[in-house]
Every structure is written in C-alpha cells, then in structure tokens.
Amino acid sequence: MYHAPSGFDPSGPPPDRRGRARAPFRQARRPEERITLLGEPVDLVRPEEMLLHVERCVEAGVQSVVANHNLHSLYLIRRTPGMRRLYDAADLIELDSTPLIHFARLLGHPARPQHRCTYLDWRDHFWSLADRQGWRVLYVGGADGVAEEAARRLAARYSNTAVQGLSGYFDATPGSASNTAVLAAVRDFAPDVLFVGMGMPRQELWIADNLASLPPVPILPVGAAFDYEAGVQKAAPRWMGRLGVEWLFRLFADPKRLFTRYCVEPWFLIGPALADVGAARKRRG
C-alpha cells in the first residue's frame, strides 16, 4: 500500500499510484482464511483483497457489509444487545488489530502482518480506486460540519469522485423523523460506496437496524475515518500500527475516553483467549 513520503503535503494533488509496481495478490479467498478468534469469525484478508471485494460489489450492484473486529468490538459484541446482527450479516470481517494477528499466529492460523486491515491501512488505495472509477462515496457520521469538511477536502484531491458527508448527530431510533430523513438523503445521493462512522457500537447497530432500507452497495463501518480526513483528529504514524502500538498513540491523545477501552476491556477477553489456546492444543494433538 502507499505510504506518504516525508514532507508529503496532504492538501496537494493525490499521489499517482498507477505508475507504481503492485505486489501480486490472490483474487479468490481460501476457506482456511476465515478463522475463529476469541469465539468470533474473522477473515485474514489483505487491504488489496478487501478492496477487490468492494470493487466487484460495486460493479455487480449488490449490497455487501464489510465489518471489522478488534479487541474493543470483541468486548462489545458480548455486552451490546443487537450488535451481533451486523457481524452475522457481514460478508467480510476485517481484522483491525496487530496484537490479534500475533495471537492468531500463536494459535497456528496463517495470519501475517499484512492481514491488518482497517481504513487507515487502505485509505489511499481506496480513494485512488474511487477516483479512477468515478465512484460516488457517502459518509454518515461525525460531528456537525466534520463530514462535510472531509468531503470537501477529498473532492478537491480526487476530482473524479463525488463525495458527500452527512452528520452523525441525529436520532438514530428506527422510525424517528431524523433517521427517516437520513435514509432519504442516502437514497437521494445514490452512492456506490457507503461509509458509516458513528463509533462502536452505534454504527454497527445503525447499519443492522436499517440494512433493508440501505441501497445495494458496499457498506463499511469506518469509525472516525472522516475525522482524520477533516483534520480534526490526528492519525497515528502507520509504523505504529504495523508494530501493534497504535493504541498507545491514541491512549495518550485521549486518555479519558480510551483508558477503559485499552486498559480494562481486554481483561474480560482472557476466558475466550484461553479457550482458543485449548482448542489449538487439541488441533495440534
């Protein structure tokens, strides 16, 4: 994937990825690449493979949910009624956690560092692809004005892409007037790809509640993606993600909000982790 060189100006023209050599990747999934980790299914998929899935769904005009799992979601799915519906409906479940990739390898699964797959890992590739294909991309989420500013910046960089942002600050109760208005705005924009960034578990619950009313396009919960694009939140350097310490960057940036997520919640997953270790020993035996 593309990594911006030192001194790269994100407000300038986008990098031309087309002239760069591409690493080959398989275009078909293998059964052993869907694994069970801490009791939940995840897919060992590279960013390029995930984007190929998105591209094929856009071309076919079919609805497809691309979810993601990390330690936070694996904690929430056990404690949030209704959240599991999103993962049951997902066609692909990215693995958004380097520590979980290391754990999967210890269990004997064919996990590799390149299987870490989240918005910050494939953002440049996605927007380059969207620009080449002339996609219409809609993002629902963020504080008032944030998604709109992110859409403005992205549209300036990727002029062949139609980008629109809708505030995530609305009453998401099914049947409420504001939720109905958001669904109408989604239909009116007629996106090729729909991003939903309201934070976990709100974004997963909203997608699951409204899936039947959403258009036949790829739908991806992406958290604070447009906060990064609007410049209101700073992303950790990608080397931190590859080393599995991105959580430290985020924790120091917002300790009050994230202390429980990173320092308390993982302890509640020790039971499922020990169960995975026991299952791995049985397989090897």
Side-chain angles (χ1 to χ4, degrees):
M1 72 192 74
Y2 176 82
H3 295 290
S6 177
F8 173 69
D9 179 9
S11 64
D16 187 356
R17 298 174 51 87
R18 286 166 290 187
R20 301 178 68 248
R22 298 289 181 86
F25 63 92
R26 287 181 293 98
Q27 299 194 9
R29 308 291 300 134
R30 291 176 177 173
E32 64 268 23
E33 290 173 328
R34 167 153 282 203
I35 66 173
T36 299
L37 208 56
L38 300 186
E40 300 297 331
V42 297
D43 292 297
L44 299 178
V45 58
R46 289 171 53 174
E48 294 88 348
E49 294 166 337
M50 187 281 293
L51 291 175
L52 176 65
H53 172 81
V54 169
E55 186 175 15
R56 286 173 170 172
C57 291
V58 172
E59 291 173 351
V62 297
Q63 187 182 80
S64 180
V65 175
V66 179
N68 64 84
H69 260 319
N70 51 35
L71 289 172
H72 183 49
S73 65
L74 289 167
Y75 170 84
L76 289 174
I77 200 171
R78 291 167 163 81
R79 288 163 173 78
T80 306
M83 187 175 176
R84 189 177 299 278
R85 291 177 297 142
L86 184 280
Y87 292 91
D88 289 343
D91 300 292
L92 205 60
I93 304 175
E94 304 170 310
L95 187 51
D96 172 18
S97 172
T98 298
L100 282 176
I101 288 174
H102 294 323
F103 182 61
R105 293 192 69 178
L106 287 173
L107 297 175
H109 296 299
R112 295 294 181 268
Q114 59 266 30
H115 291 134
R116 185 181 190 274
C117 192
T118 187
Y119 178 79
L120 292 175
D121 297 310
W122 46 256
R123 65 194 285 195
D124 294 319
H125 190 166
F126 171 83
W127 290 109
S128 177
L129 174 63
D131 194 55
R132 294 196 305 272
Q133 300 292 343
W135 286 348
R136 299 173 61 81
V137 181
L138 178 64
Y139 177 92
V140 179
D144 292 346
V146 171
E148 293 85 347
E149 172 62 16
R152 185 192 66 78
R153 294 188 182 195
L154 287 164
R157 291 182 61 195
Y158 300 96
S159 58
N160 199 40
T161 306
V163 190
Q164 181 173 320
L166 299 175
S167 171
Y169 280 56
F170 64 94
D171 179 4
T173 305
S176 70
S178 56
N179 192 68
T180 301
V182 168
L183 292 174
V186 172
R187 289 193 299 270
D188 290 345
F189 183 75
D192 295 300
V193 178
L194 175 61
F195 289 152
V196 182
M198 304 180 191
M200 288 183 174
R202 189 171 185 257
Q203 60 193 13
E204 284 77 16
L205 295 175
W206 187 81
I207 295 171
D209 286 341
N210 298 284
L211 197 56
S213 301
L214 294 174
V217 302
I219 303 168
L220 297 87
V222 291
F226 269 32
D227 284 6
Y228 298 125
E229 302 297 355
V232 300
Q233 190 173 147
K234 186 177 180 181
R238 299 322 301 141
W239 64 264
M240 297 188 77
R242 293 191 292 273
L243 290 180
V245 294
E246 183 175 350
W247 66 275
L248 278 174
F249 179 94
R250 300 188 65 197
L251 178 60
F252 278 106
D254 193 355
K256 184 176 181 180
R257 184 174 68 89
L258 297 176
F259 177 81
T260 299
R261 177 184 301 187
Y262 292 132
C263 300
V264 177
E265 291 179 3
W267 292 99
F268 289 87
L269 297 173
I270 290 178
L274 291 176
D276 279 356
V277 172
R281 285 178 175 175
K282 289 182 180 178
R283 287 196 305 270
R284 290 167 179 166

